[in-house]
Amino acid sequence: MTSIAIPSGMPQYDDVPRFDVARVRADFPILDREVNGHPLVYLDSANTSHKPRQVLDVLAEHYAMHNANVSRSVHTLGTEATEAYEGARAKIAAFINAPSVDEVVFTKNSTEAINLVAYAFSNASLRPDADPRFRIGPGDEIVISEMEHHSNIVPWQLLAERTGATLRWFPVTDHGRLDESGLDDLVTERTKIVSLVHMSNILGTVNATARITQRVREVGALLLLDCSQSVPHMPMDVVDYDADFIVFTGHKMCGPTGIGVLWGRGELLAAMPPVLGGGSMIETVSMARSTFAAPPARFEAGTPPIAEAVALGAAVDYLTGIGMRAIQWHEKELTAYALDALATVPGLRIFGPNVPVGRGGTISFALGDVHPHDVGQVLDSLGVQVRVGHHCAKPVCTRFGVPAMTRASFYLYTTTEEIDALVAGLEQVRKVFD
Ligand SMILES: Cc1ncc(COP(=O)(O)O)c(C=O)c1O
């Protein structure tokens, strides 16, 4: 069993579930690759994760043996494909402890899931008979935060433009935490929805949501949590979190691209008007008007990403088999190790929490005055893959006064040796640019 040294300051619990990282790595064919003559060191899992053989095999097997359209054919292949697709929905519902399978809506990704909710609001605002919780207009407010991914900013800006509502946001502290000091002034009876990132893709911050949830309930607003960076890395229980919607995206959790999830409370989804119209989302259609199917079908117009959903089900099986608590703990140890190791690099500045508490395994930093693109290029020449740029979170870069950041992010297959390779690579960068 490959174990990692527990960094100083980490509590040492006996009952922490562990797994064999070397065995997990053997499941990911891509990790055997070389890049520029060096072993691949992949530190960009916040961007997209790699896929284990167990998921790749299910994807190929689906197309090879069970390919058919879903929810419309009575033949054997159609039935098999429908069962596999709906079976994946059931696995995902169990993974996040959704009270009902029908609360899981398949989308293309997190971005589409957030847009779906935002468009449901403006569509509702055009219908006099719509549920008032979704009707929004001048005088109403939408609340987000300064640490959102663009996917959780732009859809709400567009909704505000379409409806005349006002967009407001939580600021970020110097330590990269959500500044909740103005909570009661920010979230008020005017608020229709608060849409908040659970774990920041750029700062690594994991937001504690309990106080915000309580305030949202007091004022009668709705709460959406963008869990794109948390569902892949920690146990998620939608009942416990008590949000109204959560979104996540398959490709960051060992699944394929092209598949994401909107989870919504059953009664809210039932009250939401459709967004995309087309096949499979109707109850009946005449030339003059249509009526709509119950959720989740109401929100899955057209042929869905069938094989992708089935493969996401396989990804959920894979992650469950290892254990989400074990994955979370592994990444916590890696984060503590990386924060200690990066602190030894002269001139390195970390953006976001510099302790392994209330944060995940995504660390953004600057190395002196070296431009992140130069950092990324030197690291790439050594096989070390990190992301550089604004990370689709430009307001965070603006907040910290930099045009771009370098980001290393970890997952269940990451090792401390890879973090050592990053640190050694950064020493190389310093030599090149000194
Ligand atoms: C926090 C967060 N939200 C939303 C997204 C958007 O995910 P996708 O591009 O899969 O829709 C990302 C992707 O990086 C993310 O990190």
Side-chain angles (χ1 to χ4, degrees):
M1 165 140 174
T2 306
S3 64
I4 64 175
I6 298 176
S8 57
M10 286 289 289
Q12 302 198 14
Y13 301 117
D14 290 336
D15 65 342
V16 170
R18 294 190 177 278
F19 60 90
D20 185 338
V21 182
R23 273 193 30 206
V24 162
R25 288 179 68 83
D27 291 334
F28 291 78
I30 204 168
L31 296 180
D32 283 339
R33 261 199 68 159
E34 288 197 344
V35 170
N36 296 321
H38 297 271
L40 169 67
V41 173
Y42 187 76
L43 299 177
D44 197 19
S45 291
N47 206 349
T48 199
S49 73
H50 289 312
K51 328 297 174 200
R53 213 178 298 275
Q54 290 84 339
V55 170
L56 299 173
D57 288 351
V58 166
L59 190 63
E61 160 85 7
H62 183 83
Y63 278 124
M65 301 307 295
H66 309 288
N67 182 50
N69 214 329
V70 292
S71 314
R72 57 193 76 183
S73 317
V74 294
H75 54 64
T76 300
L77 288 187
T79 306
E80 285 177 13
T82 303
E83 280 173 7
Y85 181 68
E86 293 304 330
R89 195 191 306 278
K91 287 176 185 183
I92 289 152
F95 188 63
I96 58 172
N97 196 29
S100 162
V101 171
D102 291 339
E103 294 179 343
V104 171
V105 178
F106 284 124
T107 62
K108 187 172 71 177
N109 48 33
S110 292
T111 305
E112 189 179 84
I114 296 170
N115 276 279
L116 199 165
V117 177
Y119 273 96
F121 267 92
S122 47
N123 288 354
S125 305
L126 298 171
R127 292 163 175 251
D129 60 339
D131 189 304
R133 289 172 296 179
F134 291 100
R135 292 174 58 78
I136 188 166
D140 293 326
E141 295 179 351
I142 303 158
V143 176
I144 59 172
S145 86
E146 205 179 9
M147 68 164 80
E148 302 304 322
H149 188 281
H150 296 165
S151 297
N152 199 27
I153 301 175
V154 184
W156 304 114
Q157 291 174 337
L158 293 173
L159 175 64
E161 271 176 36
R162 286 196 300 275
T163 61
T166 302
L167 186 68
R168 301 183 70 194
W169 52 90
F170 288 94
V172 167
T173 69
D174 290 345
H175 296 288
R177 305 275 184 196
L178 199 69
D179 182 352
E180 291 179 42
S181 56
L183 174 63
D184 290 354
D185 290 331
L186 196 55
V187 178
T188 68
E189 277 70 18
R190 285 190 298 278
T191 309
K192 298 296 284 197
I193 185 160
V194 175
S195 188
L196 199 63
V197 71
H198 188 205
M199 172 174 152
S200 160
N201 69 306
I202 183 164
L203 299 169
T205 315
V206 176
N207 290 317
T209 57
R211 265 189 71 209
I212 295 172
T213 309
Q214 191 188 346
R215 181 66 184 153
V216 165
R217 298 285 166 244
E218 273 167 24
V219 301
L222 298 176
L223 177 66
L224 184 152
L225 290 180
D226 174 1
C227 298
S228 307
Q229 297 289 346
S230 57
V231 162
H233 301 281
M234 59 186 78
M236 167 54 63
D237 181 328
V238 294
V239 177
D240 243 26
Y241 274 89
D242 196 29
D244 295 302
F245 301 101
I246 75 160
V247 305
F248 52 100
T249 195
H251 67 97
K252 295 186 199 292
M253 52 189 289
C254 297
T257 53
I259 183 79
V261 172
L262 166 68
W263 169 83
R265 278 182 200 283
E267 63 90 16
L268 277 174
L269 290 179
M272 256 167 62
V275 172
L276 293 181
S280 301
M281 51 74 74
I282 54 90
E283 188 179 56
T284 180
V285 176
S286 70
M287 288 314 292
R289 64 183 292 275
S290 305
T291 56
F292 307 111
R298 185 187 302 166
F299 304 109
E300 295 181 359
T303 300
I306 303 164
E308 289 81 356
V310 173
L312 180 59
V316 158
D317 284 344
Y318 183 79
L319 293 172
T320 306
I322 292 165
M324 292 309 295
R325 269 196 75 221
I327 292 170
Q328 182 183 26
W329 189 257
H330 171 68
E331 292 177 26
K332 202 164 248 320
E333 288 184 336
L334 287 173
T335 305
Y337 183 92
L339 289 170
D340 279 357
L342 289 170
T344 67
V345 180
L348 189 136
R349 170 188 177 199
I350 287 179
F351 301 101
N354 60 3
V355 290
V357 177
R359 63 135 47 249
T362 287
I363 304 178
S364 293
F365 56 85
L367 187 58
D369 293 335
V370 187
H371 195 282
H373 285 97
D374 293 330
V375 176
Q377 236 162 27
V378 174
L379 290 177
D380 181 55
S381 73
L382 300 167
V384 179
Q385 317 284 285
V386 294
R387 183 166 170 196
V388 296
H390 54 61
H391 309 281
C392 296
K394 268 191 141 191
V396 173
C397 293
T398 306
R399 165 69 180 81
F400 288 96
V402 292
M405 297 178 184
T406 304
R407 180 184 75 182
S409 55
F410 317 138
Y411 206 8
L412 71 168
Y413 40 67
T414 307
T415 64
T416 48
E417 288 78 12
E418 290 181 304
I419 293 166
D420 294 343
L422 168 68
V423 170
L426 292 172
E427 293 297 348
Q428 268 308 113
V429 177
R430 288 186 59 241
K431 278 194 198 131
V432 172
F433 289 94
D434 234 10

